[in-house]
Amino acid sequence: GSYEVTELFLNNIIGTFLPGEKITCTISSGLVLKESVFGLFSRIDIIDGGYGYQLGDEAIADENAPFRSGIPVGEGGRGKINSVSLKGTIKEAVIDNAGVNYTEPIEVVFSGGDGSAKGIMTPKALVFICFESRSFSRHI
């Protein structure tokens, strides 16, 4: 599009980048990039598998759920059910769209089934987005 993108590959990382953390990076040209770290979903944990669900039923981040931190929720987190028991109890769900700007785990709403299934999407992978006219991204 209309934005110039700089992609950086990080090696020998010590420590953990946290959602909301501010970072700076000086590239070889001397340009200093100021970035913010945003969380992306990396997994769905099943708390209660419910009954009557099928492979492919959707798992959607409940962006209306309350957050402990009070920070506005991200957007776009979606997944799907990829393993169920013979009774349709969810055994496993996977991320289809990691979304962006999630800072803490969020409840999942599953389509189909009896409506009793409960799950949590947890952000772990991170993307860095620039405050200036340049940006870079990197999943860790």
Side-chain angles (χ1 to χ4, degrees):
S2 61
Y3 297 99
E4 184 176 335
V5 175
T6 302
E7 184 173 357
L8 303 176
F9 295 91
L10 306 177
N11 293 314
N12 302 317
I13 298 169
I14 299 173
T16 303
F17 290 103
L18 301 173
E21 185 176 2
K22 306 287 189 238
I23 63 169
T24 59
C25 177
T26 304
I27 59 177
S28 60
S29 69
L31 177 66
V32 176
L33 300 174
K34 296 178 185 174
E35 309 296 332
S36 184
V37 178
F38 294 98
L40 303 174
F41 288 123
S42 63
R43 72 175 198 266
I44 300 174
D45 296 314
I46 306 302
I47 308 302
D48 182 337
Y51 295 99
Y53 294 91
Q54 298 178 9
L55 297 179
D57 283 350
E58 288 187 310
I60 302 169
D62 184 359
E63 295 171 359
N64 295 315
F67 279 80
R68 293 183 303 266
S69 68
I71 296 172
V73 65
E75 61 182 77
R78 300 177 81 81
K80 68 180 176 192
I81 297 170
N82 72 337
S83 179
V84 295
S85 73
L86 292 175
K87 293 182 180 183
T89 299
I90 302 169
K91 295 168 126 184
E92 184 179 61
V94 294
I95 301 293
D96 275 345
N97 183 338
V100 68
N101 202 24
Y102 292 98
T103 58
E104 59 190 70
I106 186 172
E107 293 177 21
V108 176
V109 176
F110 293 98
S111 67
D114 67 354
S116 68
K118 295 182 191 278
I120 300 288
M121 283 187 182
T122 302
K124 286 217 174 182
L126 303 171
V127 64
F128 307 93
I129 299 179
C130 187
F131 294 133
E132 300 175 1
S133 62
R134 297 177 183 244
S135 64
F136 68 90
S137 65
R138 172 75 174 124
H139 298 278
I140 299 175

